[in-house]
C-alpha cells in the first residue's frame, strides 16, 4: 500500500463517505459494544482528531454540521479510551496494552484493516453468548496465502468449527489447514491473564495466535467460516479498491448518481 499508507493510516482510508475505522466502530456498536479501546500510535493523530473533534462544543469553522453529528451520534454510544502501544511488538502485545481497561472480562478484538461485509461481529457475540466459548472467523485461503495468516487446526468442517489449535503464519507444509484467521476475535474471560504470560513467537513478536492456541487446547474455541468474498483486505490495493467499490455501492444515492447497480 506504499506510498498511500505513508499519507494516511490504512484504517483511515476512505470507504465510501467514511474512513474504514468508522465502519468498524459502527460494526462494534451494532454488536452491543459500549466501551471502545483504540490501540494506536502517537503519530496517527488523524484517528483521535476524527473521533474527538466533533465532541467539542465549538466545531471548527466551515465544518459541515451534519457530518459532524453523524460521528457524534456514534461516539455518544461509547466510552472511548485511547492507548498508545509502546513499540511495535506484535498483535498480542498491542492487545495486552489494553489489559488495565479490559481486565479479565470477555472482549472483542477488531482489526480495522480487515473489512467484512455484511458485518459478522453481531453473529459472533450471539454464538459466544450461547456457548460461553471464544469465537474466531476464518476463511479458506489458497496455498500461497497460508503463510500470511494465523491458521487454525480443527476437528471436522461442521459449523460452527471446533478449533483445537492455532499457529501464526506457518509455512504451507506445516499448516494444519488452509483456514485463515481474520481480524475479528471474541475472546473469553481470562484471556488477558493468559496473554500476559505468552512469550515471543513468530517474527520475535508477541502473537495473539499463541494465546488462541492455548485457549483452544484448554477450553476449545469456535469458528465461523466466512464466504471468502465477504472479506476485504485493506492491506492490499485490490482489497482496498474492491472494499471501496462495495461500500460505495451500498449507498443507494451514490449508486443512483454513478448509474451503477449492485449486480
Ligand atoms: C494478524 C494476525 C494473524 C491474522 C491476521 C488477520 O496478522 O497476527 O494471525 O491472520 O492479522 O488479518 P497481520 O495482518 O497483522 O500480519
Amino acid at each position: 500500500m506504499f506510498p498511500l499508507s505513508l499519507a494516511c493510516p490504512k484504517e483511515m482510508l476512505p470507504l465510501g463517505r467514511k474512513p474504514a475505522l468508522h465502519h468498524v466502530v459502527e460494526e462494534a456498536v451494532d454488536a452491543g459494544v459500549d466501551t471502545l479501546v483504540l490501540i494506536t500510535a502517537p503519530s496517527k493523530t488523524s484517528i483521535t482528531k476524527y473521533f474527538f473533534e466533533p465532541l467539542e462544543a465549538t466545531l471548527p469553522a466551515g465544518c459541515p454540521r451534519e457530518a459532524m453529528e453523524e460521528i457524534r451520534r456514534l461516539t455518544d454510544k461509547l466510552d472511548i479510551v485511547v492507548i498508545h502501544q509502546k513499540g511495535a511488538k506484535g498483535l498480542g502485545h498491542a492487545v495486552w496494552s489494553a489489559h488495565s481497561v479490559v481486565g479479565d472480562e470477555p472482549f472483542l478484538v477488531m482489526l480495522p484493516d480487515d473489512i467484512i461485509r455484511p458485518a459478522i461481529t453481531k453473529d459472533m457475540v450471539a454464538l459466544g453468548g450461547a456457548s460461553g466459548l471464544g469465537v474466531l472467523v476464518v476463511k479458506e485461503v489458497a496455498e500461497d496465502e497460508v503463510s500470511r495468516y494465523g491458521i487454525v487446526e480443527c476437528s471436522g468442517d461442521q459449523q460452527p468449527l471446533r478449533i483445537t489449535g492455532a499457529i501464526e503464519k506457518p509455512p504451507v507444509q506445516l499448516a494444519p489447514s488452509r483456514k485463515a484467521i481474520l481480524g475479528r476475535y471474541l475472546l473469553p474471560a481470562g484471556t488477558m491473564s493468559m496473554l500476559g504470560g505468552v512469550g515471543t513467537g513468530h517474527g520475535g513478536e508477541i502473537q495473539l495466535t499463541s494465546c488462541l492456541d492455548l485457549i483452544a487446547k484448554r477450553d476449545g474455541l469456535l469458528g465461523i467460516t466466512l464466504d471468502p468474498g465477504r472479506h476485504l483486505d485493506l492491506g492490499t490495493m485490490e482489497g482496498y479498491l474492491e472494499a471501496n467499490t462495495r461500500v460505495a455501492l451500498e449507498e443507494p444515492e451514490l449508486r443512483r448518481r454513478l448509474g451503477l447497480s449492485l449486480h
Side-chain angles (χ1 to χ4, degrees), residues 12-88:
M12 294 307 278
L13 285 171
L15 288 190
R17 288 186 308 113
K18 299 174 239 174
L21 186 56
H22 186 125
H23 295 279
V24 176
V25 175
E26 278 177 346
E27 179 176 336
V29 168
D30 281 349
V33 166
D34 56 19
T35 306
L36 179 75
V37 187
L38 289 169
I39 301 164
T40 181
S43 57
K44 296 186 180 183
T45 50
S46 56
I47 296 177
T48 39
K49 197 169 146 66
Y50 182 85
F51 286 111
F52 293 121
E53 220 164 62
L55 297 178
E56 283 173 20
T58 32
L59 296 175
C63 210
R65 186 155 293 275
E66 207 183 296
M68 286 295 184
E69 287 299 337
E70 186 176 358
I71 302 172
R72 207 181 268 178
R73 273 197 301 277
L74 182 65
T75 52
D76 267 355
K77 296 180 185 139
L78 289 163
D79 284 331
I80 305 182
V81 180
V82 177
I83 290 186
H84 289 144
Q85 187 189 2
K86 297 186 178 72

Side-chain angles (χ1 to χ4, degrees), residues 227-245:
D227 168 4
R230 281 177 71 182
H231 173 229
L232 302 153
D233 179 2
L234 295 186
T236 66
M237 188 44 82
E238 63 278 14
Y240 163 60
L241 291 175
E242 196 185 338
N244 216 332
T245 312

Side-chain angles (χ1 to χ4, degrees), residues 122-141:
K122 209 175 187 171
D123 298 345
M124 297 169 71
V125 170
L127 183 59
S131 63
L133 295 174
V135 181
L136 305 183
V137 177
V138 302
K139 73 166 183 180
E140 290 279 340
V141 293

Side-chain angles (χ1 to χ4, degrees), residues 91 111 114 149-150 168-169 181-183 185 207 209:
L91 179 58
L111 307 183
D114 278 333
Y149 293 94
E168 181 68 5
K169 304 194 172 101
I181 303 170
L182 302 180
Y185 309 75
Q207 298 295 348
T209 306

Side-chain angles (χ1 to χ4, degrees), residues 94-251:
V95 173
W96 168 250
S97 313
H99 71 275
S100 62
V101 181
V102 174
D104 257 334
E105 297 294 307
F107 62 102
L108 288 158
V109 174
M110 303 175 78
L111 307 183
D113 50 359
D114 278 333
I115 297 297
I116 297 177
R117 307 298 279 197
I120 189 76
T121 303
K122 209 175 187 171
D123 298 345
M124 297 169 71
V125 170
L127 183 59
S131 63
L133 295 174
V135 181
L136 305 183
V137 177
V138 302
K139 73 166 183 180
E140 290 279 340
V141 293
E143 281 197 349
D144 61 351
E145 287 182 310
V146 160
S147 61
R148 282 182 42 206
Y149 293 94
I151 301 290
V152 296
E153 177 184 83
C154 40
S155 52
D157 262 335
Q158 251 179 324
Q159 296 294 316
L161 294 170
R162 307 273 153 185
I163 296 173
T164 52
I167 171 167
E168 181 68 5
K169 304 194 172 101
V172 68
Q173 321 79 268
L174 297 183
S177 74
R178 289 203 279 115
K179 292 180 173 51
I181 303 170
L182 302 180
R184 299 288 183 280
Y185 309 75
L186 173 62
L187 299 171
T191 298
M192 275 297 183
S193 293
M194 272 174 120
L195 195 52
V198 160
T200 51
H202 179 85
E205 296 184 333
I206 298 173
Q207 298 295 348
L208 183 59
T209 306
S210 312
C211 188
L212 300 178
D213 188 52
L214 294 174
I215 300 170
K217 293 198 158 76
R218 197 185 67 174
D219 308 319
L221 271 175
L222 298 179
I224 301 175
T225 307
L226 206 71
D227 168 4
R230 281 177 71 182
H231 173 229
L232 302 153
D233 179 2
L234 295 186
T236 66
M237 188 44 82
E238 63 278 14
Y240 163 60
L241 291 175
E242 196 185 338
N244 216 332
T245 312
R246 196 91 72 80
V247 170
L249 286 185
E250 285 169 11
E251 291 188 24

